[in-house]
Amino acid sequence: MENNGETRSARKDREIIEAATAAFIANGYDGTSMEEIATKAGASKQTVYKHFRDKETLFCEVVESTASLTNDVVESVTMLLSEAQFMEGGLQQLARRMTTTLMDDNLLKLRRLIIANADRMPQLGRSWYEKGFERMLASVASCFQKLTSRGLLQTSDPRLAASHLFGMLLWIPMNEAMFTGSNPRSKADLERHADASVEAFLAAYGARLK
């Protein structure tokens, strides 16, 4: 057992996955070899195969591990969309965090890789979508339901409302990045875009004063 509670085997798994992530992002799936991953991980090729039986298995592990990058956003949903935080601008904070997290350069590159290999590994894309984007959508919809019941929002269909918010936040920046192969927007620009999206969302779904 390592000092931080991580076993030697788990540490080696992590090192190999980190090396594979860097290699796949830099060279694509077909352009990456297990030998290159072993070199980046400081391990023998035999060790890599001992931990992961083939390149497809390792690619799946890379995708699964990066799906957890959205966990911080998901966990912040309940906090930032509680009644008290919502009244203090929690939706704006959540929108900014969600947009800047999902527009991370490495996450965008991995997203392109998953899409490029969707025909050969369709289950992988489905798993990544469900554990990432779908989970965030469900969490936000649940919070919108509670905020509606307390009279802070007006949503007859909280999930549809969450979809509208996600669409405003991500449709243009995400497609721009995916089609151009880069993320030309600064963090400040993404935050301005998030603020404007929240303003439009609340114009449509915000509680009306009687």
Side-chain angles (χ1 to χ4, degrees):
M1 184 74 72
E2 300 289 322
N3 291 334
N4 63 0
E6 185 180 42
T7 66
R8 182 175 301 175
S9 178
R11 177 171 60 82
K12 183 53 65 177
D13 279 354
R14 175 175 53 78
E15 290 172 351
I16 292 171
I17 289 172
E18 288 172 354
T21 301
F24 284 131
I25 286 176
N27 304 317
Y29 180 81
D30 290 326
T32 298
S33 68
M34 293 292 267
E35 185 173 1
E36 179 186 2
I37 292 169
T39 300
K40 285 182 177 292
S44 68
K45 192 159 68 169
Q46 289 76 16
T47 297
V48 174
Y49 277 113
K50 180 180 177 181
H51 286 255
F52 303 96
R53 69 174 181 267
D54 53 33
K55 188 169 73 168
E56 182 173 331
T57 299
L58 183 48
F59 184 58
C60 290
E61 288 294 330
V62 167
V63 173
E64 290 290 329
S65 67
T66 52
S68 66
L69 290 175
T70 59
N71 282 348
D72 289 343
V73 176
V74 173
E75 291 171 2
S76 71
V77 168
T78 301
M79 178 185 72
L80 291 175
L81 293 186
S82 66
E83 182 172 347
Q85 289 282 36
F86 179 80
M87 296 295 289
E88 295 296 323
L91 185 59
Q92 180 189 57
Q93 295 175 53
L94 178 65
R96 287 184 170 198
R97 184 176 302 179
M98 185 181 300
T99 304
T100 55
T101 297
L102 296 182
M103 292 296 294
D104 173 78
D105 283 340
N106 282 339
L107 201 57
L108 286 171
K109 290 174 182 176
L110 185 67
R111 181 186 177 98
R112 294 187 195 104
L113 271 178
I114 295 169
I115 293 171
N117 290 280
D119 288 339
R120 110 172 49 171
M121 291 175 267
Q123 77 290 346
L124 190 59
R126 170 54 58 183
S127 175
W128 196 77
Y129 179 84
E130 289 175 349
K131 293 180 179 179
F133 195 81
E134 181 71 21
R135 186 165 167 238
M136 282 192 291
L137 185 65
S139 296
V140 171
S142 176
C143 289
F144 281 179
Q145 176 66 65
K146 294 174 183 176
L147 290 169
T148 297
S149 68
R150 292 167 187 161
L152 298 175
L153 285 178
Q154 294 187 124
T155 61
S156 58
D157 186 337
R159 188 178 180 85
L160 181 60
S163 297
H164 287 161
L165 178 62
F166 279 32
M168 286 191 289
L169 288 174
L170 297 170
W171 187 68
I172 292 298
M174 184 70 74
N175 276 288
E176 182 180 37
M178 294 300 291
F179 281 103
T180 62
S182 64
N183 177 13
R185 299 188 178 225
S186 66
K187 180 179 179 182
D189 187 32
L190 288 172
E191 289 183 344
R192 283 194 297 271
H193 178 83
D195 292 349
S197 297
V198 168
E199 184 178 355
F201 177 84
L202 291 176
Y205 289 106
R208 308 289 195 273
L209 294 177
K210 296 181 178 180

